[in-house]
Amino acid sequence: MDANRKDVAGPNHGRTSPSLGIGHLGHNDNPPFLATEGNKLPPFLRLPIEIRIMIYEWAVAVEEPIQVKQITRRSNKFVWGKCEKEWRPGMRWILHNLEEQPLAVVSLNRTCRQIYQDLERWPVFYRVNILHFSHPIHLSVFLAAITPQRRKMIRRIQVDLTRNEYSFPHEHPWLRPVRHPLSLLHSLALLSQCKDLRKLSVLLDFRWEYKLKDYLGCTNAQHDIPSPWNLPCFLPHMLLPGRQVFVLGSPIPPQCMSQIRWLPVNMQDTIFQMNRDMLARGHVGQLRHWLRERQWPKWFTDLDTPSIVSEAITAQQLDFPGENRIARDLFQNTVGSISSRTRRKGREFNPSLGILHSEMPKYGAGGELAWQWSDILGIRWNDVFGPEFELRFDQPQGPVTSWEPLRAMWTEGAEYKVRHYYYDLLKGTSPPDILFRQMQGIPSPGLVFESIVDVFSGNLTEAFGTENARCREVAIGKSFNHLEKRWQSRLSKLEKRFGA
């Protein structure tokens, strides 16, 4: 018994016997270990990914179309719904979301890393919702800003062409039957990346019926020209009085028919004719055929090339387009010219706004100001440089104001701001004694104009920004002479009261 017990407690005591076929429980290839680790996950994440995607689609769906708005120029970030504008120096404007609750997809992305990875790999938010844009340019910017995977998931897009800026429909790029501006081709190239696009709805104004009829006639005669109207997923919607809407090329609903009957007879005939033309064109039937056959026009597939798409993305002037949002290093930009990519490396990225802040030098090679300035806050005399101007800058970095000599601050239209400063001072509400002391320390308008002519003598085009610089000098000189008379008259009156 003791011998047997000694054998048991030999050198292999406490080790797993290979003959028993039991593996190490901590090994990654061991099924019991994997099952044990999987049980640590929440029940939702243990579901198959196919079921999770179905739940994601239900959770992120929004009933109303989502109005997409870029928060500021060159940004790859957007807001939706109600928002307000905030004006900032150097950026023009920034939009702030006023919605009380964020979109469900935003909240889900913040839940945990696994859900974020699921929604990034399968961005179902773009598949189940309708994206609404108030301008075709806004559509192009949005498509360039999102990642390629998100573009592929988009199914339904709405574009509203009834805004006030479209009072002249013949100027609209989406309604030009012959000329195809680059902005239209760029929009179509970016739309070619939406591989699952089902509906491209465009809202049109009934008051454009004369132009739409001509454009529809051209597209009916030329099915192979690049145009949204020649896409099988294109659905033109006619906006009638009373905000009633119907789809051109489909039976007109009774409530829309009653609105049309109130229009002039010639406008009624045009709308009915357009609807018959669209119906005869088989637009709705073509849409059904495309959904079944998955076919696009050849001119549309020809736009789906890396060079054309890259040109369209670059034209949107984004600091970080969608292709570069998926990279580990945001400065590893692959879109745009090499020179522009090199300049990006010396700029500071603002993650909250999705833009770059440039550390631009204050002065150019010729000593002129490179920073943009908006207002003149003061004028003083320097015995060496002549008049100096206190300027307010629009740059996000550097000081807000500084004193600059005439040569450095001068740009086209600067003479207007100089005169505007003097007029504001004379029309101001400052007490007379304070105004008198201010005017005593400021060079007169006539002296400033003489300095302008002396500094730019022999090169008046540089000073006044026009080929007919001599005539402009005479006209501006008269304005300054009139201003000088008002200045001296006001100064003499104040001097009689407060001079002695």
Side-chain angles (χ1 to χ4, degrees):
M1 295 294 292
D2 295 338
N4 292 337
R5 189 171 296 175
K6 184 177 180 180
D7 291 340
V8 173
N12 291 329
H13 178 68
R15 298 182 184 179
T16 303
S17 175
S19 62
L20 296 177
I22 300 176
H24 193 276
L25 288 178
H27 199 278
N28 291 336
D29 295 333
N30 192 302
F33 171 76
L34 296 178
T36 303
E37 290 296 312
N39 289 334
K40 294 180 181 179
L41 294 174
F44 175 76
L45 296 180
R46 294 203 299 268
L47 294 173
I49 184 60
E50 294 81 5
I51 298 179
R52 295 209 304 269
I53 289 177
M54 295 172 62
I55 297 175
Y56 290 145
E57 289 182 347
W58 178 85
V60 303
V62 181
E63 294 182 0
E64 299 293 330
I66 298 176
Q67 299 183 13
V68 183
K69 302 172 185 177
Q70 189 182 24
I71 64 174
T72 190
R73 293 180 304 171
R74 308 188 69 90
S75 173
N76 59 7
K77 296 188 179 296
F78 299 82
V79 296
W80 69 285
K82 297 179 181 179
C83 56
E84 65 177 359
K85 276 187 178 181
E86 175 191 354
W87 295 90
R88 289 190 186 179
M91 299 180 191
R92 282 183 54 189
W93 50 264
I94 293 177
L95 288 181
H96 295 283
N97 200 339
L98 298 181
E99 297 291 339
E100 296 181 357
Q101 294 182 347
L103 291 170
V105 66
V106 178
S107 301
L108 284 174
N109 274 319
R110 297 171 178 172
T111 304
C112 69
R113 182 175 299 178
Q114 183 59 51
I115 293 180
Y116 174 83
Q117 292 175 351
D118 288 349
L119 292 175
E120 191 65 26
R121 187 175 180 182
W122 294 280
V124 295
F125 170 81
Y126 298 88
R127 182 166 65 190
V128 299
N129 288 308
I130 302 174
L131 303 177
H132 179 91
F133 302 89
S134 59
H135 196 294
I137 293 178
H138 299 166
L139 169 62
S140 301
V141 171
F142 178 77
L143 293 179
I146 62 177
T147 60
Q149 182 64 19
R150 294 176 180 179
R151 289 187 211 126
K152 293 178 183 179
M153 300 289 282
I154 294 178
R155 284 187 174 179
R156 293 176 292 176
I157 295 175
Q158 288 183 357
V159 183
D160 189 354
L161 304 186
T162 62
R163 301 294 180 180
N164 292 331
E165 60 258 37
Y166 303 134
S167 299
F168 304 97
H170 62 277
E171 298 179 356
H172 196 282
W174 283 35
L175 298 177
R176 291 182 179 180
V178 180
R179 297 189 299 265
H180 301 102
L182 282 177
S183 61
L184 172 62
L185 297 179
H186 291 160
S187 298
L188 294 172
L190 291 169
L191 283 172
S192 69
Q193 304 299 294
C194 303
K195 306 299 183 182
D196 201 25
L197 185 62
R198 305 293 180 89
K199 291 183 180 180
L200 176 60
S201 303
V202 175
L203 191 60
L204 306 168
D205 197 324
F206 74 96
R207 292 169 295 182
W208 298 353
E209 89 290 342
Y210 66 96
K211 181 61 183 178
L212 295 175
K213 181 181 178 182
D214 295 340
Y215 188 79
L216 183 58
C218 293
T219 53
N220 280 337
Q222 305 178 57
H223 294 279
D224 57 345
I225 62 174
S227 169
W229 291 65
N230 284 332
L231 289 176
C233 61
F234 184 78
L235 291 176
H237 290 67
M238 181 70 73
L239 178 65
L240 300 172
R243 307 300 295 180
Q244 297 290 338
V245 178
F246 75 97
V247 180
L248 284 174
S250 63
I252 302 177
Q255 62 271 22
C256 294
M257 185 67 73
S258 61
Q259 293 290 335
I260 296 176
R261 293 302 183 187
W262 285 96
L263 299 176
V265 176
N266 58 339
M267 189 175 291
Q268 294 182 31
D269 295 340
T270 304
I271 292 176
F272 292 147
Q273 182 62 44
M274 287 173 55
N275 197 55
R276 286 193 295 268
D277 291 344
M278 288 294 294
L279 197 60
R281 185 178 181 176
H283 218 78
V284 175
Q286 189 178 5
L287 172 62
R288 294 172 181 168
H289 173 75
W290 170 75
L291 290 175
R292 184 174 63 253
E293 301 295 333
R294 307 291 295 175
Q295 294 179 353
W296 289 102
K298 184 179 182 303
W299 62 264
F300 191 64
T301 57
D302 290 342
L303 294 174
D304 186 12
T305 60
S307 59
I308 297 178
V309 174
S310 177
E311 179 184 349
I313 293 174
T314 305
Q316 309 314 314
Q317 299 182 349
L318 295 170
D319 286 342
F320 283 115
E323 274 66 10
N324 299 295
R325 297 179 69 176
I326 59 178
R328 289 181 179 272
D329 183 4
L330 291 176
F331 292 93
Q332 287 298 113
N333 202 327
T334 59
V335 177
S337 61
I338 296 177
S339 60
S340 64
R341 285 184 254 156
T342 304
R343 287 193 295 269
R344 286 190 184 99
K345 296 181 181 295
R347 303 169 72 183
E348 179 184 356
F349 178 61
N350 186 330
S352 63
L353 297 179
I355 60 175
L356 289 170
H357 284 168
S358 173
E359 293 296 333
M360 182 184 298
K362 187 175 182 180
Y363 300 99
E368 73 282 357
L369 273 174
W371 291 4
Q372 294 183 352
W373 58 274
S374 57
D375 299 307
I376 297 176
L377 304 179
I379 301 177
R380 68 185 183 188
W381 186 261
N382 186 303
D383 292 336
V384 178
F385 300 105
E388 290 183 334
F389 303 84
E390 185 181 12
L391 307 179
R392 177 187 288 125
F393 293 103
D394 287 339
Q395 293 300 116
Q397 82 277 2
V400 178
T401 64
S402 69
W403 288 92
E404 304 296 336
L406 174 65
R407 185 69 173 178
M409 58 79 66
W410 197 263
T411 58
E412 182 179 353
E415 79 282 347
Y416 169 78
K417 293 185 178 181
V418 173
R419 286 183 284 132
H420 189 69
Y421 168 79
Y422 282 110
Y423 280 122
D424 286 347
L425 189 63
L426 292 174
K427 295 179 180 178
T429 58
S430 300
D433 55 336
I434 297 178
L435 177 62
F436 176 62
R437 288 194 295 269
Q438 288 178 332
M439 295 179 67
Q440 281 185 317
I442 297 175
S444 67
L447 185 59
V448 170
F449 181 73
E450 292 177 3
S451 301
I452 295 172
V453 176
D454 291 341
V455 169
F456 295 100
S457 59
N459 192 6
L460 296 178
T461 302
E462 182 183 357
F464 301 114
T466 178
E467 295 181 358
N468 195 7
R470 183 59 186 172
C471 295
R472 184 163 174 78
E473 178 196 2
V474 173
I476 294 176
K478 291 181 179 179
S479 299
F480 270 95
N481 288 335
H482 175 71
L483 187 58
E484 174 72 14
K485 292 179 180 178
R486 288 187 57 185
W487 180 270
Q488 296 298 339
S489 175
R490 185 67 176 275
L491 184 60
S492 61
K493 292 180 181 178
L494 293 175
E495 190 172 6
K496 292 179 180 178
R497 292 180 58 185
F498 306 103

